[in-house]
Amino acid sequence: MERWLKWRVFPETRVNANQLLASLGLNSYNPWAIVRKTHGVMADDEIWLRFKGESLKHRDVTLRK
């Protein structure tokens, strides 16, 4: 699971990682916290997570409309 989470988030070494974290309201790099905010959605695929208690649909989380 940990390996999959790392695949669904931006790398900690990304040049603008601190700006991305700030835009998500996060103070530190935590793959699980990032996935909770982004639902693990990526720009180039259809995979995403809906957490218990949410009624989101793909169109609510997709990056490309």
Side-chain angles (χ1 to χ4, degrees), residues 4-29:
W4 186 85
L5 280 176
K6 286 181 183 179
W7 179 59
R8 304 309 299 178
V9 299
F10 56 89
E12 188 172 10
T13 56
R14 186 171 164 161
V15 171
N16 64 340
N18 287 334
Q19 291 88 353
L20 292 172
L21 289 171
S23 73
L24 295 171
L26 300 173
N27 296 321
S28 62
Y29 188 85

Side-chain angles (χ1 to χ4, degrees), residues 10 22-23 25 34 37 40 47 53 60-62:
F10 56 89
S23 73
I34 294 168
K37 296 279 189 167
I47 300 169
D60 299 324
V61 298
T62 189

Side-chain angles (χ1 to χ4, degrees), residues 6-8 38 54 64-65:
K6 286 181 183 179
W7 179 59
R8 304 309 299 178
T38 65
E54 294 180 332
R64 297 180 188 198
K65 306 291 181 196

Side-chain angles (χ1 to χ4, degrees), residues 22-51:
S23 73
L24 295 171
L26 300 173
N27 296 321
S28 62
Y29 188 85
N30 177 319
W32 180 246
I34 294 168
V35 168
R36 289 290 306 192
K37 296 279 189 167
T38 65
H39 296 277
V41 72
M42 304 291 283
D44 57 352
D45 67 26
E46 299 289 320
I47 300 169
W48 64 285
L49 298 172
R50 179 175 35 223
F51 297 98

